Amino acid sequence: MEPKTTPRTDSAATATSRAQAVAPKSQKTKIVVPIREIGARYRPQVLQHLLALEPQDRYLRFGYAANDRQIETYVASLNFERDRLFGIFNRKLELVGLAHLAYPADASIASFAEFGVSVAKKVRGRGFGARLFERCAVHAANDGVKTMYIHALSENTAMLRIARNAGATVERDGSESEAHLSLPVATFRTRMDELVRGQMVGRVDYFMKTEFSLARSLLATFQEVRNAVRENRHKSGT
């Protein structure tokens, strides 16, 4: 679904239990998925990712059968200064997973945020949606957000399952459902976890993929030049 958008003084024990609720049940054995926070310069990749969604996926993501023009309007209106967007990239630097953590327009009431996610069909089943959900929950908690909301169609069972597994309360109202997750108080550990896993790992992963892509491109260019030289030699008989 499309998002619509002060640290607390709970005891350490309560904060710990809530932190465990935010994390997926398989946290101990899960594979680390590099997730990168993305800014306005990634707007074209965000648009490309969303336009590639099939009609049914668009319907589940936005809550209506969004056409190309509506998606273009949505992407153009994204506020990268207020909201936070997180992405997962494949080896070809294609954006294959996207999360939108939307905050209220009025910063004075920014004690809640709304989560929306989309994952490319070719990489589903790898837990990317859950990893993006967890990344947004940690970031929101570190921002002092008390509650994260998820608005979804009741038939969007994958999204609702992710929310339930994280400990969210899901309320159904006909064709639509709303889930809300109480977030733990931010700690030094959660901030360091976001810094190391979210920022450093994501940035290093993206850098390595960029370098690999550049090297592959240079190799392809070299091979084209070499083949052209061989062809010219063959034609000239040398």
Side-chain angles (χ1 to χ4, degrees), residues 1 5 26 50-51 55 76 115 134 152 161 180 194 197:
M1 281 288 295
T5 253
S26 59
L50 293 174
L51 288 177
F115 172 81
E134 179 188 354
R161 186 185 308 113
H180 53 90
E194 182 177 17
R197 281 186 153 191

Side-chain angles (χ1 to χ4, degrees), residues 32 40 89 155 193 220:
V32 175
F89 295 83
E155 60 191 277
D193 181 70

Side-chain angles (χ1 to χ4, degrees), residues 3 35-38 46 49-50 61 74 78 80 83-88 95-102 114-119 128-129 131-137:
I35 297 174
R36 177 180 174 84
E37 183 174 350
I38 57 180
V46 171
H49 166 76
L50 293 174
R61 171 62 181 84
Y74 163 73
L78 287 173
F80 288 89
D83 299 343
R84 293 293 179 266
L85 279 85
F86 300 90
I88 297 175
L95 184 62
V96 295
L98 174 68
H100 182 185
L101 186 64
E114 186 173 345
F115 172 81
V117 67
S118 55
V119 177
F128 287 179
R131 298 291 81 76
L132 286 165
F133 183 90
E134 179 188 354
R135 178 74 169 83
C136 286

Side-chain angles (χ1 to χ4, degrees), residues 151-163:
H151 293 273
L153 294 173
S154 297
E155 60 191 277
N156 193 348
T157 55
M159 181 68 258
L160 295 177
R161 186 185 308 113
I162 290 173

Side-chain angles (χ1 to χ4, degrees), residues 60-169:
L60 294 176
R61 171 62 181 84
F62 294 100
Y64 59 91
N67 58 36
D68 289 358
R69 175 60 67 86
Q70 289 169 321
I71 290 178
E72 290 169 357
T73 300
Y74 163 73
V75 174
S77 67
L78 287 173
N79 188 330
F80 288 89
E81 295 296 323
R82 181 191 67 206
D83 299 343
R84 293 293 179 266
L85 279 85
F86 300 90
I88 297 175
F89 295 83
N90 64 11
R91 293 181 180 178
K92 296 180 181 179
L93 297 181
E94 298 170 332
L95 184 62
V96 295
L98 174 68
H100 182 185
L101 186 64
Y103 290 84
D106 186 354
S108 65
I109 59 172
S111 60
F112 67 91
E114 186 173 345
F115 172 81
V117 67
S118 55
V119 177
K121 185 176 181 179
K122 59 185 177 181
V123 296
R124 287 179 195 157
R126 304 183 187 181
F128 287 179
R131 298 291 81 76
L132 286 165
F133 183 90
E134 179 188 354
R135 178 74 169 83
C136 286
V138 171
H139 183 89
N142 288 340
D143 266 357
V145 172
K146 297 179 181 179
T147 308
M148 192 163 75
Y149 289 94
I150 305 95
H151 293 273
L153 294 173
S154 297
E155 60 191 277
N156 193 348
T157 55
M159 181 68 258
L160 295 177
R161 186 185 308 113
I162 290 173
R164 285 194 181 95
N165 288 343
T169 299

Side-chain angles (χ1 to χ4, degrees), residues 194-215:
E194 182 177 17
L195 175 64
V196 175
R197 281 186 153 191
Q199 297 185 27
M200 294 181 64
V201 173
R203 289 176 180 176
V204 170
D205 174 76
Y206 190 84
F207 172 78
M208 293 299 293
K209 287 175 179 176
T210 301
E211 293 299 304
F212 178 77
S213 179
L214 177 60

